Amino acid sequence: MLWIAKRIGVSLLLMWVVATVVFMALHMVPGDPAELLLSTGGAMPDAYAIAELREKLGLNRPIWEQYLAFLEGLSRGDLGNSLVDDYPVAEEILLRLPRTLELILAGTLLSILIALPAGTYAAVRAGGAFDRAASWVAALLQAVPVFVLGTLLILLLAQTLRWMPAGGYVPLAQDPARHLLLLSLPAIAIAKGLTATVFRMTRASVLDALSRDHVRTARAKGLTPRRVLTRHVVRNALIPVTTVLGLQMGTLLGGTVLVEYVFNWPGLSTPLLRAVEGRDYPMVVGIVLTVSALFLLINLAMDLLYAALDPRISRS
């Protein structure tokens, strides 16, 4: 329990550091945010309007007061209101975050279901035809950018073969079959890089585990190859795979922005891109902090899973 408490404490500390860096970066941007927001067509905004907006945003207060107010709002889950439509940022994120998480979960499950068995089989049959072919495909997947793969999937499966829709979104409760169909292509695009990485790490880890002394001892005792593989090889091989999986989740979170845009999936990317174009600073800060918190939570979950696979970690 002490180890878990330490990991949670470290995650909270890192979240505070991220929030502080985001706050300072926002105030280091050249120019007056209020003036930038009111500037349209290159015309100079009215001085009274600038002063009024600065007061509304709290920019006329000392920076330390702004920082304390910022942290207080975060502690209450208050991310402020959008400068574009005055809609609460937290409500917009809560509406769209489940869709992004669903896409990430679908891509991760797809990667695991493909990469773990394929990597294990490639290691057991190292040097064979499957091993060479799968390694070549993994290298190709890592080389292709996610937006290029997404565009190719739309061109081939949606426009040429007309097997699947090009994009869009339907709530799961409204039409489950249509929802899963629309989810499939962006999930494949999201999964491509993670699948290649997990495959290569699984193959390397299983190969390493197969050469260990305890595996040779298990074989000498007469255990069946299947039992040796499941009890003595795969369990030990999952430890480094879990570590890499957690590290890759940050890349996966970043990749969802492009994938959601390409497939018109209404997750966090839509308000983020709109906020960047419209200089909606509260929305940008809210989404950045949400993604950062997700990354820290995912890594915390990976640490706990790592400790479950190897109990020695929690005693260190």
Side-chain angles (χ1 to χ4, degrees):
M1 292 299 296
L2 180 60
W3 182 84
I4 295 176
K6 288 181 180 179
R7 296 305 304 165
I8 294 175
V10 170
S11 298
L12 292 175
L13 178 61
L14 289 174
M15 192 64 227
W16 170 74
V17 171
V18 170
T20 302
V21 169
V22 170
F23 175 84
M24 297 306 297
L26 182 64
H27 285 75
M28 291 174 62
V29 175
D32 187 345
E35 183 177 338
L36 291 173
L37 287 169
L38 293 175
S39 298
T40 54
M44 179 64 66
D46 182 73
Y48 176 78
I50 294 176
E52 186 178 17
L53 183 57
R54 283 181 59 84
E55 182 176 358
K56 178 183 177 181
L57 299 177
L59 297 176
N60 57 342
R61 301 159 62 185
I63 189 169
W64 64 268
E65 288 188 10
Q66 297 182 47
Y67 178 66
L68 292 179
F70 173 71
L71 293 181
E72 182 186 1
L74 289 183
S75 66
R76 294 183 284 104
D78 182 9
L79 299 173
N81 290 352
S82 169
L83 299 180
V84 175
D85 52 16
D86 203 33
Y87 190 79
V89 172
E91 293 186 17
E92 181 74 11
I93 292 176
L94 287 176
L95 174 66
R96 295 178 176 272
L97 180 59
R99 302 168 186 171
T100 296
L101 292 178
E102 180 186 18
L103 182 57
I104 292 174
L105 180 61
T108 302
L109 289 177
L110 184 62
S111 299
I112 292 173
L113 291 175
I114 295 174
L116 285 181
T120 302
Y121 187 79
V124 173
R125 298 288 189 271
F130 177 83
D131 181 26
R132 294 194 298 270
S135 298
W136 183 84
V137 171
L140 180 63
L141 288 176
Q142 285 190 317
V144 177
V146 63
F147 64 90
V148 172
L149 179 62
T151 305
L152 291 176
L153 289 175
I154 293 175
L155 180 63
L156 177 62
L157 299 180
Q159 296 185 353
T160 303
L161 300 178
R162 300 186 183 277
W163 288 352
M164 310 181 79
Y169 177 81
V170 173
L172 180 63
Q174 178 179 332
D175 189 344
R178 179 73 175 177
H179 177 85
L180 295 176
L181 187 63
L182 291 170
L183 177 64
S184 56
L185 284 185
I188 292 172
I190 276 288
K192 70 95 185 172
L194 187 61
T195 301
T197 301
V198 173
F199 165 81
R200 299 179 74 170
M201 179 55 66
T202 301
R203 180 184 179 277
S205 299
V206 171
L207 279 174
D208 179 68
L210 286 171
S211 63
R212 296 296 180 88
D213 292 337
H214 69 276
V215 173
R216 288 194 289 266
T217 302
R219 288 171 175 168
K221 289 181 178 179
L223 295 180
T224 62
R226 181 183 295 273
R227 193 169 184 181
V228 171
L229 185 65
T230 55
R231 291 191 60 182
H232 298 279
V233 175
V234 173
R235 182 181 177 88
N236 292 321
L238 283 177
I239 296 175
V241 172
T242 301
T243 303
V244 170
L245 186 63
L247 294 175
Q248 288 295 314
M249 294 305 289
T251 305
L252 202 63
L253 283 169
T256 57
V257 175
L258 291 174
V259 171
E260 288 177 355
Y261 180 79
V262 169
F263 291 96
N264 197 25
W265 186 265
L268 289 176
S269 64
T270 302
L272 177 60
L273 294 175
R274 187 173 62 240
V276 171
E277 292 176 356
R279 297 165 180 168
D280 191 350
Y281 295 115
M283 184 66 72
V284 173
V285 170
I287 294 177
V288 169
L289 291 179
T290 299
V291 172
S292 301
L294 280 175
F295 180 74
L296 292 174
L297 285 174
I298 290 170
N299 279 275
L300 177 61
M302 291 298 106
D303 286 342
L304 297 178
L305 180 58
Y306 196 100
L309 293 172
D310 188 354
R312 295 172 298 177
I313 298 298
S314 60
R315 295 193 293 267
S316 60

